[in-house]
Amino acid sequence: MEHLGSTLTATYAHPRPTSTNFLPAISTLSSTYKDRFPHYNLTHSLSLPWKPSTYYKVASNSPTLAPYCIRSQKVSESTMLPFVSNRTTLFTRYTPDDWYRSNLTNYQESNTSRHNSERLRVDTTRLIQDKYQQTRKTQADSTQNLGERVNDIGFWKSEILHEMDEMIGETNALTDLKKRLERALMETEAPLQVARECLFHREKRMGIDLVHDEVEKQLLMEVDITLCCEERMKLHLDKAIAQLASDRAAQHELEKDLSDKQAAYRIDDKCHHLRNTSEGVSYFRGVENVDATVSVPESWAKFTDDNILRSQSERAASAKLREDIENLLVVTANEMWNQFNKVNLSFTNRIAETADAKNKIQIHLAKTLQEIFQTEMTIESIRKAIRDKSAFLKVAHTRLDERTRRPNIELCRDMAQLRLVNEVHEVDDTIQTLQQRLRDAEDTLQSLVHTKATLEHDLAVKANSLYIDQEKCMGMRKSFPNTLRLVGFC
């Protein structure tokens, strides 16, 4: 018995347990599903309690003790229901018509309920069949779409693999050519160093041989040509490095796209082969409401197509760059070889000129040495002649001095006296003349000695120039790299 207005019995969120007579066997459930059924919230109205007795008021007579006062007894009698034995009239709730009408109403509700239940069963059976067929068709369409999707992914995978093979081949070819270019660039250092050392050694030429001749012009031109070739090689090397980076970037995008395609292929192929009896199927509530897609079929196909087009474009640029590098290596090798030959020819001509000048100087030096010898002999003869004249002068002076001692009148200016005086003057003039000639001979000898020194110095200069050009410079230039090394093959 419940009192009116009592708290309703709690309504839970899970289904009410049903009689075991209406449930399938446990073995059937375990063989069909691996997980439990999905959780459904029952939508019972909170205003309808489970116990129907709540709708009714239960009348009862509660025994009470006698009141202590009359007032309280009056109040109690006015609020309490009378006992059956105390009733003076018959109290009833419903009339017989009400009772018959209630029965008819119940019969009609029963017929209506059964009719609705029968119609619901028929409609439910048809609905189950329709929904089953519709579900199977929907699943078949999904399976077909997944199969088509797998075929599309396989097609793009094959395209990416083909393009990756082409790109890897092109990258390897450009890498090999880049190594050749680096070797060729390294080979230019030796000729450049040789040319600079030749210029440095030729700065050690002395005197008049320190001229800006054709050899020096060709050496400076060789340095300029070698530096220009190095600049072009470095420029193309930078381009090759940048192109390799672009090729690897395009290849990385293809590899990333291929990896994504392979993962998508595995997932879609797995989904394509999933069946209702497959293992691992389960419920994932709310997954249909999660839209994690980032592309549509058009943008998906365009993304891969753009990657392939970018790779093809980079491959074309790489092939063009390889062709340019090949031409550059041939052109630079020819330019350096041509200039090398020009420098060698200039060296040969200059060495021949210097050797000819040296030979002529040696001839002149030999003649000068002979003339010096003759002049020295002449000077010695002049000195001997002067020494010989001094004896004559001494005799004349002695005679004149002795004649000054004649006494008195004997101091006569006779012919002997005059002749002695003339003899002294003549001998003096002769000595003066010989001394002047001796000075002239000595000056000539000094000039010859100076000429000899000049010729000897010039001969040393020419010998030094010949040593520099013929021994040092031409000796270094024998190590010029061959054409195969200049194009980077060795």
Side-chain angles (χ1 to χ4, degrees):
M1 180 182 299
E2 289 186 356
H3 296 284
L4 182 63
S6 61
T7 307
L8 299 180
T9 306
T11 302
Y12 293 92
H14 58 79
R16 293 182 60 187
T18 343
S19 175
T20 56
N21 296 331
F22 298 96
L23 291 177
I26 297 178
S27 60
T28 306
L29 291 176
S30 61
S31 63
T32 307
Y33 300 97
K34 295 299 180 181
D35 298 328
R36 62 181 179 82
F37 282 101
H39 178 72
Y40 290 102
N41 291 326
L42 295 179
T43 55
H44 291 294
S45 176
L46 296 177
S47 63
L48 299 178
W50 290 357
K51 296 182 179 182
S53 60
T54 309
Y55 287 106
Y56 302 95
K57 183 192 294 184
V58 180
S60 64
N61 293 327
S62 301
T64 57
L65 296 176
Y68 290 101
C69 62
I70 298 174
R71 183 178 179 181
S72 62
Q73 183 178 3
K74 289 180 180 179
V75 172
S76 177
E77 288 178 354
S78 62
T79 57
M80 292 173 54
L81 293 175
F83 290 99
V84 178
S85 60
N86 294 332
R87 291 179 183 174
T88 58
T89 59
L90 183 60
F91 292 95
T92 58
R93 296 185 178 180
Y94 305 105
T95 63
D97 293 337
D98 293 336
W99 183 81
Y100 285 112
R101 281 196 301 271
S102 176
N103 289 338
L104 290 175
T105 302
N106 290 335
Y107 301 154
Q108 292 176 357
E109 288 181 357
S110 174
N111 290 330
T112 303
S113 298
R114 282 186 285 106
H115 176 70
N116 292 337
S117 175
E118 182 179 358
R119 186 176 60 183
L120 179 62
R121 282 189 293 107
V122 173
D123 291 343
T124 301
T125 302
R126 187 174 60 253
L127 178 63
I128 288 173
Q129 293 296 327
D130 293 342
K131 293 302 179 182
Y132 176 73
Q133 296 298 330
Q134 181 182 355
T135 304
R136 285 193 61 182
K137 184 178 181 302
T138 302
Q139 188 181 65
D141 293 341
S142 298
T143 303
Q144 182 181 358
N145 290 336
L146 285 171
E148 294 174 356
R149 183 64 175 177
V150 168
N151 292 334
D152 292 342
I153 295 176
F155 167 76
W156 285 112
K157 272 179 57 182
S158 63
E159 292 293 321
I160 292 175
L161 284 172
H162 175 72
E163 182 58 32
M164 277 185 59
D165 292 339
E166 295 291 332
M167 176 56 77
I168 290 173
E170 179 61 34
T171 303
N172 293 335
L174 184 58
T175 302
D176 295 339
L177 189 59
K178 171 180 163 289
K179 292 179 180 178
R180 278 182 53 198
L181 183 60
E182 289 174 347
R183 288 194 294 267
L185 182 60
M186 291 176 60
E187 290 296 333
T188 60
E189 290 297 326
L192 180 62
Q193 186 68 22
V194 167
R196 285 175 172 172
E197 286 188 9
C198 288
L199 288 171
F200 173 75
H201 286 307
R202 295 189 95 244
E203 289 296 322
K204 297 178 182 178
R205 292 174 298 169
M206 297 180 298
I208 194 61
D209 276 14
L210 193 62
V211 295
H212 184 60
D213 53 4
E214 186 65 22
V215 177
E216 188 169 356
K217 293 177 183 178
Q218 294 298 330
L219 281 173
L220 291 174
M221 189 177 297
E222 184 178 25
V223 171
D224 291 339
I225 289 176
T226 306
L227 289 176
C228 180
C229 292
E230 283 188 351
E231 290 239 351
R232 285 183 288 171
M233 287 182 181
K234 289 178 181 179
L235 179 62
H236 281 74
L237 183 60
D238 293 338
K239 289 182 179 179
I241 293 173
Q243 186 60 49
L244 280 175
S246 300
D247 291 349
R248 292 193 181 100
Q251 181 180 344
H252 175 71
E253 291 297 327
L254 290 176
E255 290 173 350
K256 184 180 178 182
D257 197 3
L258 179 62
S259 176
D260 294 343
K261 291 285 186 297
Q262 289 174 342
Y265 186 87
R266 288 194 301 269
I267 293 172
D268 285 351
D269 187 62
K270 178 182 177 182
C271 294
H272 179 249
H273 289 90
L274 278 179
R275 298 295 181 267
N276 294 337
T277 57
S278 300
E279 295 183 358
V281 294
S282 181
Y283 289 104
F284 298 91
R285 287 299 170 194
V287 70
E288 70 278 0
N289 297 325
V290 178
D291 188 6
T293 57
V294 295
S295 64
V296 295
E298 291 77 11
S299 61
W300 173 81
K302 185 177 183 300
F303 177 79
T304 303
D305 189 54
D306 289 343
N307 286 336
I308 293 176
L309 289 177
R310 177 190 174 188
S311 176
Q312 291 175 347
S313 174
E314 295 297 340
R315 276 198 301 114
S318 179
K320 179 66 169 59
L321 181 60
R322 283 195 299 111
E323 183 181 355
D324 293 343
I325 292 176
E326 289 282 0
N327 295 333
L328 174 69
L329 291 175
V330 174
V331 169
T332 52
N334 292 334
E335 289 180 357
M336 293 177 68
W337 261 110
N338 292 335
Q339 186 60 30
F340 173 76
N341 293 329
K342 288 181 181 179
V343 173
N344 289 348
L345 181 62
S346 299
F347 263 114
T348 303
N349 295 335
R350 185 61 179 172
I351 289 171
E353 291 176 358
T354 307
D356 182 63
K358 180 184 175 184
N359 293 332
K360 291 178 179 180
I361 290 173
Q362 286 177 337
I363 294 173
H364 283 279
L365 180 61
K367 291 180 179 180
T368 303
L369 289 174
Q370 182 65 29
E371 189 63 29
I372 288 175
F373 175 75
Q374 295 294 336
T375 304
E376 286 178 347
M377 295 297 294
T378 301
I379 290 174
E380 188 61 30
S381 63
I382 293 173
R383 286 175 179 173
K384 183 177 180 303
I386 291 174
R387 286 194 303 270
D388 292 341
K389 298 300 184 289
S390 62
F392 292 99
L393 185 61
K394 287 179 182 178
V395 171
H397 281 177
T398 302
R399 286 176 177 175
L400 287 174
D401 182 69
E402 287 296 331
R403 284 177 64 84
T404 60
R405 293 186 179 86
R406 290 176 298 172
N408 300 320
I409 196 65
E410 293 300 326
L411 291 172
C412 179
R413 185 183 298 273
D414 54 6
M415 290 298 295
Q417 182 71 22
L418 294 174
R419 187 57 187 169
L420 285 174
V421 172
N422 290 332
E423 182 183 6
V424 169
H425 288 297
E426 288 178 2
V427 173
D428 282 336
D429 291 340
T430 301
I431 291 174
Q432 292 295 328
T433 302
L434 289 175
Q435 286 180 346
Q436 181 63 37
R437 184 55 56 87
L438 178 62
R439 287 192 293 270
D440 293 342
E442 287 177 347
D443 292 340
T444 302
L445 179 63
Q446 187 68 29
S447 175
L448 288 171
V449 169
H450 178 72
T451 302
K452 169 181 169 290
T454 302
L455 291 175
E456 288 177 345
H457 178 266
D458 201 11
L459 185 63
V461 168
K462 296 297 184 290
N464 178 67
S465 299
L466 277 176
Y467 174 73
I468 289 174
D469 289 346
Q470 193 169 12
E471 300 297 331
K472 285 192 173 182
C473 294
M474 292 303 292
M476 287 188 302
R477 295 185 68 80
K478 292 178 182 179
S479 62
F480 195 82
N482 55 23
T483 306
L484 290 178
R485 292 177 61 185
L486 285 178
V487 296
F489 279 112
C490 302

